[in-house]
Amino acid sequence: MKKRRVVLLGATGSIGENTLRVLAAHRDRLELVGIAARSNWQRLAAIAKEFNVRHVGVFENGAYAAARASGAFVPGTALVGGVAGLVELAQLPQADVVLVAVVGTTGLEPALAALAAGKRLALASKEILVLAGKFVTASARAHGATILPVDSEHNAVFQCLEGHPGAGVRRILLTASGGAFRDWPEERLAEVTPADALKHPNWAMGPKITVDSATLANKGLELIELQWLFGLKPEQCGAVLHPQSIVHCLVEFHDGGMLAQLSPPSMTFPIQHALLHPERVKGAEPPLDLTRMVALEFRPVDERRFPLLRLARQAMAAGGVAPAVFNAGNEVAVTAFLAGQIPFLAISRVVEQTLALSDHFDPADLPAALSADAEARRIALAQLTNLNSKS
Ligand code: MG
């Protein structure tokens, strides 16, 4: 059997580490041919050694220079730097699948490059679709390339929709665990510290997405991602609280039938699906044990308690660059919260103000979308200054 050859952009983060577990479990089916990370070249060197990888990218200039000088990579390793290096890896002639899991929008250009080269794009960085969904999905169509979602909920939707014409879908609900504060009384939310926000009940993830899970901004970004991936209308995309994180989505058809996808709350499941699709073989981890499962609960989301979900839905309905503005405002606000500069409850206020003060036009091209993103960040930063001068 011919092995599927994988390029992994974002090899040292949480998705990257889980991908390596999948690759290690399926060395007979999958071969790692390229890896990249923002700056952790020491870890890249260890991965390159373990998986015998000869194409390595380091995004940050200083770290790239340090990696080159280190002698940590075996002779014959092609070491590339910057976004140009990531683009080169995304188009490696021998690669079949490119998994983009770099933080934020750094992966946008490499993702577009992979699609233009006709590669299968396994997409984990949700900001790429939030910022440029219109252009990314158009490029996939134009080049006949497939996007396989790696985000657990979207991967679940992909699985439920296989073989079902889109016209039959009434709506799709993504499940949300509710994050670190789902059982806190509302009056205590004002005192939440960065340390509190970083304790997620079910999933182990990076700091930004863990805060986004606590505010449900993550679910908001996922609804926008959902809309682009499956060509849905905003009103067809919803969320439901499900504290156990076992059911990842619910697809409701017009006839009232509903399909759900279940798996343990670990990223190795969607990653393996995206890399091996359509093949189904033994997973890297044990499946669900129904004899040990207590109950599956579902309850509606209280948008008063989670204003960022309401704002995300408003941005999605407004369309154009509004989702990108939502994302930019949220990124600026979460960074400030993690740095101790603003209180937890101010995150949604910064985003709401940024949306109110931004122009929500329909971007004609990618540079227009990127400039709206940059402008929204400037507006959000100005909101931080306002907040701090008032306190
Ligand atoms: Mg998710």
Side-chain angles (χ1 to χ4, degrees):
M1 187 174 58
K2 189 173 161 287
K3 287 187 195 179
R4 201 166 269 173
R5 286 158 303 189
V6 180
V7 166
L8 173 57
L9 305 181
T12 60
S14 163
I15 299 281
E17 293 295 342
N18 279 303
T19 304
L20 296 175
R21 292 167 72 190
V22 171
L23 291 162
H26 298 291
R27 286 180 190 268
D28 53 334
R29 287 180 162 78
L30 296 167
E31 181 184 353
L32 190 59
V33 295
I35 49 174
R38 180 165 290 275
S39 59
N40 189 353
W41 58 267
Q42 294 92 337
R43 176 74 188 123
L44 286 177
I47 298 167
K49 195 169 166 215
E50 185 186 345
F51 289 88
N52 195 23
V53 180
R54 293 303 165 83
H55 294 270
V56 178
V58 183
F59 178 72
E60 277 180 8
N61 285 334
Y64 172 57
R68 287 195 76 88
S70 70
F73 297 87
V74 300
T77 302
L79 207 52
V80 292
V83 75
L86 266 52
V87 165
E88 193 179 324
L89 288 171
Q91 297 196 312
L92 271 189
Q94 62 268 42
D96 302 304
V97 191
V98 178
L99 198 160
V100 176
V102 288
V103 172
T105 47
T106 309
L108 175 56
E109 257 191 86
L112 287 168
L115 292 172
K119 312 286 190 197
R120 170 186 297 202
L121 175 64
L123 191 57
S125 311
K126 60 195 70 175
E127 292 86 351
I128 289 175
L129 286 173
V130 172
L131 179 65
K134 178 177 166 179
F135 308 107
V136 172
T137 52
S139 174
R141 279 194 302 273
H143 295 97
T146 314
I147 302 177
L148 260 291
V150 170
D151 209 343
S152 56
E153 296 81 357
H154 306 79
N155 182 270
V157 173
F158 186 96
Q159 294 188 40
C160 289
L161 284 181
E162 272 201 302
H164 296 280
V169 175
R170 192 172 94 85
R171 62 172 183 159
I172 297 181
L173 298 175
L174 303 185
T175 55
S177 69
F181 314 121
R182 74 179 169 227
D183 300 321
W184 285 37
E186 204 165 330
E187 56 279 9
R188 274 189 68 201
L189 292 177
E191 314 150 15
V192 164
T193 64
D196 296 325
L198 293 178
K199 288 177 207 139
H200 193 283
N202 303 348
W203 298 88
M205 303 175 292
K208 161 74 168 50
I209 188 172
T210 304
V211 174
D212 285 349
S213 295
T215 63
L216 257 63
N218 181 57
K219 208 52 52 183
L221 294 170
E222 289 183 353
L223 293 184
I224 298 161
E225 193 185 1
L226 176 71
Q227 185 194 8
W228 283 115
L229 280 168
F230 302 103
L232 301 165
K233 297 193 188 81
E235 60 272 23
Q236 289 179 289
C237 306
V240 61
L241 278 189
H242 168 53
Q244 293 80 19
S245 298
I246 299 288
V247 173
H248 302 294
C249 77
L250 296 151
V251 174
E252 186 185 331
F253 295 91
H254 286 298
D255 60 6
M258 205 178 245
L259 292 184
Q261 191 271 349
L262 292 74
S263 53
S266 166
M267 289 307 295
T268 62
F269 294 91
I271 290 168
Q272 174 164 327
H273 177 270
L275 293 181
L276 287 178
H277 179 266
E279 195 183 19
R280 299 271 196 177
V281 294
K282 189 175 189 291
E285 292 177 85
L288 287 174
D289 178 356
L290 292 176
T291 64
R292 294 174 61 184
M293 202 142 67
V294 186
L296 297 176
E297 303 164 68
F298 300 93
R299 45 183 201 251
V301 182
D302 176 0
E303 289 197 357
R304 212 170 39 88
R305 192 186 168 97
F306 297 106
L308 281 157
L309 184 64
R310 171 178 55 83
L311 292 169
R313 286 199 307 97
Q314 282 171 9
M316 183 163 66
V321 297
V325 171
F326 170 86
N327 175 59
N330 182 58
E331 253 183 63
V332 168
V334 171
T335 305
F337 165 69
L338 286 173
Q341 292 164 359
I342 62 168
F344 182 73
L345 291 178
I347 298 173
S348 63
R349 285 180 3 232
V350 170
V351 175
E352 187 151 30
Q353 279 302 308
T354 306
L355 276 165
L357 295 170
S358 299
D359 185 12
H360 301 169
F361 61 95
D362 186 25
D365 51 25
L366 190 55
L370 293 173
S371 74
D373 171 70
E375 177 60 19
R377 283 166 204 271
R378 274 192 293 277
I379 293 171
L381 281 169
Q383 296 312 303
L384 295 182
T385 319
N386 279 351
L387 269 173
N388 285 329
S389 63
K390 272 183 225 152
S391 59

